[in-house]
Amino acid sequence: MMIHFITGNSEKFKDARRHFYSCGINLKQTIMFVPEIQAEHANEVCKKKAEYVSEEINHPFFVEDSSFHIPALKEFPGVYVKYVLETLGTEGLLKVMSGIKNRECYFRSCICYYNEKKEKHEFTFIRDNLYLTEKPYRSIHGWSQLWNIIGLSDYGKHFSELNPLQVSALEDKWRKENPFTQLTDFIREVNQDDV
């Protein structure tokens, strides 16, 4: 089975391809212009992108989007996280948070998948129990620079301060819950039902 991942982000595609390949599903990167609406969170953007792509191609495909939210700032920056990082940066974001006690934050990730019958399926993952630290920490390879300023509420510390067992357990938990895993589990279940 071949599924098209509509993305111009080669790193994101490589990560996804490794995961899909390990599940016996072939993934192809397809780069195309997709209009991006202004919205409050990833799900809205993802749905609209998928609707557009469904009019353009006839193969099974999915689109993915994510957003970052700070409840104390009325869910800012939401889908505008890339722009905020390019303009304010992580240091600027910490300055905006100066004096604010509630430092809770979370990521929302969404995948919209269309199968060969053009049936839409949506998968969402919210990575919560996070907070903005008071200062930046060392970077975490391969992740957004946001992770330099995000702590883990369950541990009361930054990711870089966790021991290897804690890191492994946390990454394993997130891997099991993320939308890529939700999608591959769904595809394998549907294919098994068709056998």
Side-chain angles (χ1 to χ4, degrees):
M1 178 177 199
M2 173 70 74
I3 296 176
H4 294 248
F5 182 8
I6 314 300
T7 182
N9 186 324
S10 295
E11 288 305 311
K12 191 182 284 187
F13 172 73
K14 284 177 191 172
D15 286 344
R17 182 176 58 191
R18 273 193 297 272
H19 176 75
F20 277 70
Y21 182 77
S22 71
C23 297
I25 302 167
N26 292 318
L27 199 62
K28 177 180 181 182
Q29 181 179 15
T30 300
I31 301 172
M32 61 185 288
F33 168 77
V34 181
E36 198 161 307
I37 65 161
Q38 306 300 308
E40 290 186 22
H41 57 74
N43 293 64
E44 296 171 62
V45 174
C46 204
K47 283 182 207 174
K48 288 296 181 185
K49 283 170 142 181
E51 286 170 15
Y52 177 86
V53 173
S54 72
E55 299 295 323
E56 302 294 316
I57 68 173
N58 293 313
H59 312 288
F61 75 88
F62 69 91
V63 297
E64 183 270 346
D65 216 297
S66 58
S67 51
F68 176 67
H69 303 266
I70 305 169
L73 299 180
K74 298 183 179 178
E75 303 299 319
F76 176 83
V79 297
Y80 306 105
V81 67
K82 183 178 177 183
Y83 176 74
V84 167
L85 289 175
E86 288 171 353
T87 54
L88 290 176
T90 53
E91 297 273 357
L93 198 50
L94 288 182
K95 283 180 185 172
V96 170
M97 291 298 293
S98 179
I100 297 175
K101 288 184 181 177
N102 177 9
R103 303 181 73 83
E104 172 194 349
C105 59
Y106 65 94
F107 288 95
R108 176 188 288 269
S109 300
C110 177
I111 283 178
C112 279
Y113 166 66
Y114 275 69
N115 63 19
E116 61 283 346
K117 297 174 185 174
K118 299 243 180 191
E119 297 167 332
K120 181 177 80 172
H121 302 274
E122 188 177 329
F123 306 91
T124 302
F125 171 53
I126 295 176
R127 186 175 292 171
D128 55 6
N129 292 322
L130 307 173
Y131 67 92
L132 289 166
T133 57
E134 299 281 343
K135 61 170 188 170
Y137 286 76
R138 69 178 170 83
S139 64
I140 300 169
H141 176 71
W143 290 8
S144 163
Q145 60 183 299
L146 275 173
W147 284 95
N148 297 352
I149 59 169
I150 291 176
L152 304 156
S153 300
D154 291 344
Y155 298 94
K157 53 180 133 180
H158 187 263
F159 194 92
S160 65
E161 298 177 305
L162 301 182
N163 67 47
L165 283 176
Q166 290 171 323
V167 169
S168 179
L170 194 56
E171 288 182 339
D172 190 50
K173 177 180 183 289
W174 286 345
R175 194 176 303 109
K176 288 176 182 171
E177 296 171 347
N178 78 40
F180 289 113
T181 301
Q182 292 179 45
L183 175 56
T184 52
D185 286 351
F186 171 78
I187 291 168
R188 288 193 296 183
E189 186 178 315
V190 167
N191 287 344
Q192 190 173 3
D193 290 345
D194 289 343
V195 172

